[in-house]
Structure formats: C-alpha cells, structure tokens
Amino acid sequence: MEIDSFVRALSQRSLLALESSPDLVADVLRYAETNAKSREAYWYHKRLTTVDVGSGGLRTSPARVLHELGVATTLLTASPLSQVARHWAAVRYCATLTRANNGRLALTRDANEVVYHHKVTQSEQLGIGLALVVARHVLRRQYPGWTFHAVDAEVALKAGFVDGGGAVESVSPTKKRPDYILLGHHATKTRRRMKIVILECKGTHQPPNFLHGQLARAAVQVEALSVGGRHPPALMVASHLTQTGITAYVLDPPGDDELWSGDDEELDGLLSTRPEDQFWRPRTATRDDIRTALAPTTSPSPVGATGTGSDPVEELPPGAPQVFDIPEPERGWFTQILTRAVAATALLFAGNSSAASEYATPRQRGTEDLASPPGLFDLDPAWATSSATTLHLPHGISAEGTRHRAPLGGGRVLEVFRGVESQLYRELAGGRIGAYLRDAPAFSRKRSAAPVDGGIYSYGSDGTILVVRALDGSG
C-alpha cells in the first residue's frame, strides 16, 4: 500500500460491533463463581447489568482509536525521551486497524500475525483506545450534555495512597485497581457538576469465551475505588480482535456518580488551590464488601485446585482485593486531583512538560522523597521544558503542540502532530482549569470537517488534536 493510501485509510469510518446482553452477564457471573473456589477475589465483584448500546453498532475510525490511545497513555512515560515515546504511542499501532471488506473495523493482516507476546501487548493497548471510544459513545447516550475526560487511575490514587511502609503504592498495580477514571463535567448558566465513571479496558485475540474471564476480573477491579463509602458507576469494555471484525463487549456495573457540584465561583476557588498529598492506605476487603448473593461460607480452595485455566499473567492476586477509600470530606480534594490530572494530560500531549508538572503533587512528580521510586512525573529539571509550537490548521483552527517527522524515502516524510487548540492551551498553561472545562465542549461543537488534502485530522472533545500526514521533505 502506498503511504498516501495508508494515511487515508486511517480516516475511513468503519463499524465497531457492540454487544451487551443478559447472556453475557450470565457467562461472566458463571466464570466468577467457578473461579472463586480457588481465587477469593472473585467474590468481590460488582453487580453487573447490561448496557443500552443502541442498535447497529458504532461508527468510528482507526484514527479515532489511536487518538484516544495517545491521550490516555500520555502520562505513562517521564524520561528524557518522553516526547519521542509519546509520539511512538501515536504511531506504533497505525498499521494495526483497518476497514474490512464487510465494512467493519478490523485488525490488519500484519497485526493479526504477530507472535503471542506481542499480541498480548497489542491487545492491551488497542483495548484501551477501543474502550474509550465505546465509553464516550455510551456516556453520550446516558448523560447528554456532559463531557468526559480520561484520567489514569494510578495517577489519581498515587496522590492519596501509600502502603504500610510509607512508600508509594506500586505492587501489582494493574491487578489491584481499575485502568481509568472518567471525569465528567456539565455546566449550566448557574451550576457546575462533576461525576466520575470507572473504566476498565480489556482486549484479546483469544476466542470470545476468553472475554468472560477478563470481564469477571474487571468486575473486581472496578470495585476497588469508593468515595465516601459508595462505589461510583463503572463501564467494562472487552474487545475481541480479529481480521474479520472487532466486537466490543460492554457491561455497566451501577453506582453513585455525583462527585461535586457548585457555581462558577466555587469551582474556580476550589481549583485555584493546590491539593496536598495524602497518606491513606488501601484496606483489604472484608466479607461485608461482598455483593453477590452467593457469598462463600467456607475458605477458598488452594490456588490451582479448580478453575478454567485462564492466562496466569492476567489472573487476580490471591486473597481478598484491596479497596481505595476516598473519605467523604475529601470529595473536593479528589475533584482537584482529577481536574489537575486532566490538565496535565492535555499539556503533556501538547509537549509542555513544564506547565504539566505544575499540576502534579510532589509525590506524583517524584519529589516528595528522593529515596522513593521514580514518580509518574519524575522529570529531570533539564528536560522539564516545553517543545510546543503553533500549527495553523485548515478552517481557521490553530493548535499548540509538538510534531515529529520520520523519513519515508523518496524525499517524503511522515509527520505526526499532537496538540491542543490554541485558546484551550493558553487556558491550561495559565492555570485556568475551570475555563478550560467550560470551553472545551464549545471547541468540539465548532470544529470543521477535515480538509481534503490526504491528511488525518482528529479532533477530541477535550480540545486535543492529532494530525497524521505524508509530506514532501520540504513541506
């Protein structure tokens, strides 16, 4: 395939099949009950319900999935080569998704033929991007007028929790807490409201029944966070990846979703202060936390005594899971942490590490204790700078961001630009988070159609922009 055709293929809208049914709920619960005999954690799953996913599936594009993945994984790298790593996240999977002959979003042949250990990583990463696309689709139906921003759960919990020895909680993090916290924002003329939805993302190349185990484990992970003693609602999305078409299986554990509300002045006042690191400790769940009607009456069997032979890499740790409880009086603190993480994510996506670090707590930056393990924002001062530059886009839009170019041969280059719409960028860089939250949806509504120049222009509801295009070397 020629490079121009390859780039254009990223924008082709395709059908992403969605499934949520009582049969799926029954299969997942059956898996959990069977494996709870050897893994106690399975008893602590959330109650599962189906999701109204609409009819006919969801139309999206490979570029949309890559955009969601690129923003969501921005905070995971903080080395001197972090900007290159973030671009790598945007381009690494460019050749993995396509529109199949049947019109469905599907894996490319090359993506389907990678060896097993690469498939595991690939499915995890594509599972994140696909889950975010699906979650936004579902939440638009459930909460009209709300805008949701993805926050890495590890980033948020890192500011609040330490383990029993005082070090940052870091043991088996992917098995002990959910993947993302979706922070929802809604503004009227007199009121601002915040809510959160927990998101767990899964993906696999295995047969569809493998997803039952993934969703059973997800139901435990989304129960790991509570606010004021109540568990937020959650979405669990497991994507089955094949060359003939991708299907996303969705379940919707219910919960209490209101996090904070107030007027503009109250929100600006809340966000104008810096939240401090807390020193809470996650607790081990007890029998009182079990929600299933089939709670165990005896101790679990030894590990390996029963079960269906799921991938040990994904298996839940032995024993009861941990629960991260945010105290009721600290709802405002948690709102601060989440909104500031949203701001940091957008700025890092645009290449401004210096401004992003101002939104992090000392523990998140890795400066709380020099003897501690490296933090998520552990930036060498020499690299805590901004590489953001202005890019003028078609239809009068401009963005602040960073771009990398890779040679293609024949004097051509592949350019990838990541950034934030200019006005929103200035609000974030200037510390005006409340204004950013209010104005981001307006940008989403006013954006124009992509130009007909062969490039890919993906505009996010959070104001982020991803551009992929093939240019002459002098372009």
Side-chain angles (χ1 to χ4, degrees), residues 200-287:
E200 183 64 23
C201 315
K202 303 292 186 182
T204 186
H205 296 74
Q206 301 291 332
N209 60 0
F210 187 81
L211 294 164
H212 301 157
Q214 290 188 316
L215 289 170
R217 290 184 284 277
V220 176
Q221 290 171 284
V222 297
E223 188 78 339
L225 175 66
S226 71
V227 181
R230 296 183 291 276
H231 294 272
L235 282 174
M236 307 179 338
V237 183
S239 298
H240 184 227
L241 311 173
T242 73
Q243 273 187 262
T244 57
I246 297 172
T247 300
Y249 295 80
V250 194
L251 292 177
D252 179 14
D256 298 309
D257 59 357
E258 195 76 14
L259 178 63
W260 183 92
S261 66
D263 58 29
D264 279 2
E265 184 176 351
E266 289 173 313
L267 181 63
D268 289 340
L270 177 69
L271 300 182
S272 66
T273 59
R274 288 177 176 268
E276 296 182 352
D277 286 313
Q278 303 294 335
F279 294 88
W280 305 319
R281 287 174 172 80
R283 65 176 177 84
T284 300
T286 67
R287 295 290 177 94

